[in-house]
Amino acid sequence: MNNDNIITAQGYHVPVLLAESVEALNIVEGGVYVDVTFGGGGHTRHILSKMDGTARLFSFDQDADAEENTRRKSPDGQQPLANDERFTFVRSNFRYLDNWMRYYGVDHVDGILADLGVSSHHFDDQERGFSFRFDAPLDMRMNKNAALTAAQVLNTYDEERLADVFFLYGEIRQSRRIASAIVKARAKAAVQTTQQFAAIVEPFFKREREKKEMAKLFQALRIEVNNEMNALKEMLQAAAQWLGKGGRLSVITYHSLEDRMVKNFMKTGNVEGKLSQDFFGRAQTPFTLVNNKVIVPTDDEQLRNPRSRSAKLRIAEKR
């Protein structure tokens, strides 16, 4: 077994709630499915294993590293996904789901899966700047060709806008004080690395909560750099449009912001959670909830993969 194979499934990203999220799609013969978060290809491979020869699967990812995984064998020797005629890789942000389904002449979709977690590969790649564990350039772009980096956010946003990013996307209570400290620090020297950034904000966190608060701060920056909340909203809206009657939406979330959006959308058809009713008071929503209670990883899965601990699976069916 070569190193590429190990990187693909075990090092790039361990798929979370694999069986549960794919089973939720209720795969049928000749169906059309979309995995909007390809990553290491774990969920995609499992979906393909359940499909017949006439079904189709489109998998999205904007990262060039993820695209490389389509050309590698799996750890157990399965052929590269690129060799499977049922499979199409789409090098794009999932917010453009609508555009690509039109491009490929798809009539409707029978199931959409989204694992919204950041791949382990991104956290472990020292050069990408996603983690405070390494001293690296403040990048955080999922798409390396995108213009905005984390360094640009920290060095160009005004104090109020920085505070809003930290408060809205990281739920950081001291967001305004932290933003003020960054503005003062960058007046002396640009903030270019993860360790520079960490040194500025460290004094605001109690020792026992430092790692957790730092993770939330880095999360806020990453969400802003990649415009994740708007992308998720656009993908969900497209999903409601493209799923046929009985089609399934299976979404794994990892933090309260995205989970709230997904929960609201599945219940009401919009991310704000505003429920509209018809003349008779009946709820007007495109979905029926398949699981009223979220599905979480088993104790065994959490033990095997600690990064799965915050995962929540929500499933809805198109009416």
Side-chain angles (χ1 to χ4, degrees), residues 59-318:
S59 292
F60 283 65
D61 207 296
Q62 60 185 329
D63 198 315
D65 292 346
E67 186 172 14
E68 283 299 311
N69 289 332
T70 68
R71 294 186 274 271
R72 296 186 175 109
K73 287 185 178 180
S74 69
D76 58 1
Q78 294 181 53
Q79 289 301 305
L81 290 164
N83 294 354
D84 193 321
E85 293 182 354
R86 302 170 298 169
F87 169 74
T88 301
F89 181 80
V90 182
R91 173 81 179 279
S92 177
N93 189 304
F94 60 42
R95 72 189 307 165
Y96 303 116
L97 174 64
D98 178 56
N99 303 51
W100 285 102
M101 292 301 95
R102 292 179 188 278
Y103 175 79
Y104 283 108
V106 172
D107 177 61
H108 74 280
V109 172
D110 296 287
I112 297 172
L113 185 147
D115 176 1
L116 300 177
V118 178
S119 291
S120 299
H121 166 75
H122 290 122
F123 286 126
D124 296 337
D125 186 343
Q126 299 185 28
E127 301 303 315
R128 303 290 290 273
F130 283 94
S131 174
F132 54 86
R133 290 182 295 136
F134 314 111
D135 190 15
L138 278 162
D139 192 320
M140 296 193 189
R141 292 172 298 173
M142 295 291 187
N143 178 356
K144 294 178 184 178
N145 295 321
L148 187 66
T149 68
Q152 287 174 304
V153 170
L154 292 176
N155 290 296
T156 65
Y157 280 24
D158 64 31
E159 187 174 320
E160 183 177 1
R161 192 175 179 189
L162 274 177
D164 287 346
V165 167
F166 299 144
F167 183 75
L168 293 173
Y169 298 152
E171 299 177 304
I172 302 291
R173 292 179 181 178
Q174 301 198 67
S175 59
R176 297 202 176 279
R177 292 179 62 198
I178 290 172
S180 176
I182 291 167
V183 170
K184 288 176 183 176
R186 77 189 190 194
K188 299 176 183 177
V191 185
Q192 300 288 3
T193 70
T194 55
Q195 292 306 303
Q196 277 181 281
F197 178 44
I200 295 167
V201 302
E202 218 169 29
F204 296 96
F205 303 137
K206 293 181 179 179
R207 182 64 61 184
E208 64 271 17
R209 288 186 57 83
E210 184 180 317
K211 286 186 178 179
K212 190 168 185 178
E213 293 298 312
M214 197 75 78
K216 289 164 68 176
L217 203 55
F218 270 65
Q219 169 190 293
L221 258 184
R222 190 201 75 230
I223 289 173
E224 176 66 14
V225 167
N226 296 287
N227 200 12
E228 292 179 27
M229 294 297 98
N230 284 330
L232 176 57
K233 178 180 178 179
E234 290 174 30
M235 184 276 287
L236 291 171
Q237 291 171 335
Q241 175 186 339
W242 283 96
L243 283 168
K245 185 176 181 181
R248 293 286 186 89
L249 178 61
S250 174
V251 184
I252 305 168
T253 65
Y254 293 82
H255 59 77
S256 59
L257 297 174
E258 62 190 15
D259 187 61
R260 191 179 306 124
M261 286 180 70
V262 172
K263 178 182 178 180
N264 285 344
F265 195 82
M266 288 183 173
K267 283 188 172 183
T268 67
N270 59 77
V271 297
E272 294 80 17
K274 297 176 182 177
L275 186 64
S276 61
Q277 298 177 325
D278 64 14
F279 179 79
F280 300 100
R282 293 173 298 200
Q284 297 285 84
T285 172
F287 294 107
T288 299
L289 297 181
V290 174
N291 60 323
N292 286 305
K293 185 177 180 182
V294 294
I295 297 169
V296 298
T298 62
D299 291 342
D300 181 58
E301 180 172 1
Q302 291 182 47
L303 188 63
R304 286 184 286 107
N305 180 15
R307 286 175 176 168
S308 72
R309 288 173 184 162
S310 58
K312 294 179 180 180
L313 171 63
R314 295 185 184 275
I315 311 159
E317 184 173 291
K318 183 72 177 294

